């Protein structure tokens, strides 16, 4: 059990259970804000650490590299992400392959939450998007493509980028990745460089945690742009920071 809230029922119900392993995150990660950003990244990192327990020193070194890369990304891109957040768009689509599909989903969730649904967000894989789902794109749409560092996988990511740029009208195409070829750099509306780090673990494992910083930044800044309070975008209570009203039915 990985949780950031030591006072939550999940932690209390498992702390003395001999069949359970409770991993409590640092209290600073129990976010007070609605979107639970550091809660998410810390719990994901700890899940990865569990599966790298026999290689923990190298994994810890990788996390230091990740942290430095993320700090640099924020400093180098805050103005450009702010500019994108100030664009007038009603839809956003996040696209990612392999491990980045999950981060595409998390990115879509964050912007949906922090804009109180005013920005309609969805996600898919680049290959899955190329047929019917691409119909969602209109002049009010931003399409974000997370580019893989895997040599084979990124070919499909870049193919979709080229296809969308070739048929682009007033919609926006955003590329988040490393070593993007000149033709795409010149045609995309925004390109955000994500450093390709030589991790000791499988490269594609930690890449999504570099990518999610972009999604978190854009969601927060778009919320501010729309005049919504990011810490409590739904003050009427239909949606809550901690899910309420869920009944745990007994499994017979």
């Amino acid at each position: 059990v990985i949780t950031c809230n030591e006072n939550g029922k999940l932690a209390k119900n498992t702390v003395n259970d001999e069949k359970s392993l409770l991993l409590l995150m640092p209290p600073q990660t129990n976010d007070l804000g609605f979107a639970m950003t550091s809660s998410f990244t810390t719990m994901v990192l700890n899940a990865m650490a569990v599966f790298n327990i026999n290689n923990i020193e190298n994994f810890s070194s990788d996390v230091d590299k990740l942290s430095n890369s993320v700090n640099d990304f924020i400093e180098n891109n805050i103005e450009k992400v702010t500019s994108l957040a100030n664009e007038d768009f009603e839809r956003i689509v996040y696209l990612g392959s392999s491990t980045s599909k999950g981060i595409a989903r998390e990115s879509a969730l964050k912007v949906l939450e922090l804009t109180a649904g005013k920005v309609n967000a969805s996600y898919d894989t680049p290959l899955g998007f190329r047929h019917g789902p691409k119909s969602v794109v209109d002049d009010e749409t931003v399409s974000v493509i997370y580019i893989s560092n895997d040599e084979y996988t990124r070919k499909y990511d870049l193919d979709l980028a080229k296809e969308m740029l070739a048929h682009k009208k007033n919609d926006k195409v955003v590329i988040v990745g490393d070593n993007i070829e000149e033709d795409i750099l010149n045609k995309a509306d925004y390109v955000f460089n994500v450093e390709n780090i030589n991790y000791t673990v499988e490269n594609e494992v930690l890449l999504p945690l570099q990518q999610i910083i972009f999604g978190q930044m854009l969601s927060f800044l778009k919320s501010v742009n729309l005049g919504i309070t990011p810490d409590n975008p739904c003050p009427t209570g239909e949606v809550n920071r901690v899910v309420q009203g869920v009944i745990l039915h007994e499994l017979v």
Side-chain angles (χ1 to χ4, degrees), residues 72-128:
D72 289 343
F73 182 87
I74 294 172
E75 290 183 12
N76 295 334
N77 292 282
I78 183 63
E79 292 184 3
K80 193 157 60 167
V81 179
T82 301
S83 176
L84 174 58
N86 291 338
E87 298 270 11
D88 186 19
F89 59 90
E90 296 180 355
R91 300 178 182 179
I92 188 166
V93 181
Y94 282 95
L95 303 167
S97 300
S98 186
T99 52
S100 295
K101 180 185 178 182
I103 237 62
R105 181 177 188 174
E106 174 69 9
S107 300
L109 173 63
K110 285 292 168 279
V111 73
L112 191 66
E113 287 180 329
L114 291 185
T115 64
K118 290 188 177 180
V119 175
N120 193 332
S122 58
Y123 74 97
D124 208 329
T125 61
L127 280 175

Side-chain angles (χ1 to χ4, degrees), residues 74-240:
I74 294 172
E75 290 183 12
N76 295 334
N77 292 282
I78 183 63
E79 292 184 3
K80 193 157 60 167
V81 179
T82 301
S83 176
L84 174 58
N86 291 338
E87 298 270 11
D88 186 19
F89 59 90
E90 296 180 355
R91 300 178 182 179
I92 188 166
V93 181
Y94 282 95
L95 303 167
S97 300
S98 186
T99 52
S100 295
K101 180 185 178 182
I103 237 62
R105 181 177 188 174
E106 174 69 9
S107 300
L109 173 63
K110 285 292 168 279
V111 73
L112 191 66
E113 287 180 329
L114 291 185
T115 64
K118 290 188 177 180
V119 175
N120 193 332
S122 58
Y123 74 97
D124 208 329
T125 61
L127 280 175
F129 189 68
R130 292 183 77 163
H131 186 48
K134 199 168 63 168
S135 303
V136 74
V137 176
D138 62 11
D139 288 349
E140 304 297 324
T141 303
V142 170
S143 301
V144 179
I145 307 175
Y146 287 137
I147 305 297
S148 171
N149 284 334
D150 178 80
E151 184 177 351
Y152 183 74
T153 305
R154 70 182 279 120
K155 292 179 180 179
Y156 292 95
D157 299 343
L158 295 172
D159 281 350
L160 175 67
K162 293 173 184 176
E163 178 182 315
M164 296 189 70
L165 289 170
H167 299 95
K168 193 174 80 69
K169 295 180 181 178
N170 294 321
D171 56 300
K172 305 293 182 184
V173 176
V174 177
I175 308 297
V176 181
D178 178 68
N179 195 26
I180 305 302
E181 57 193 76
E182 198 72 24
D183 187 46
I184 294 177
L185 284 173
N186 293 334
K187 293 180 180 178
D189 295 279
Y190 293 87
V191 176
F192 296 91
N193 183 68
V194 173
E195 181 184 5
N196 189 349
I197 299 173
N198 185 26
Y199 293 118
T200 59
V201 299
E202 176 61 37
N203 195 310
E204 295 297 278
V205 173
L206 288 171
L207 172 63
L209 289 177
Q210 293 176 265
Q211 295 168 334
I212 190 57
I213 300 304
F214 165 82
Q216 291 175 345
M217 291 170 67
L218 180 60
S219 301
F220 176 84
L221 292 168
K222 189 61 181 176
S223 179
V224 173
N225 171 263
L226 292 173
I228 298 170
T229 304
D231 283 346
N232 187 20
C234 190
T236 53
E238 288 92 345
V239 182
N240 299 281

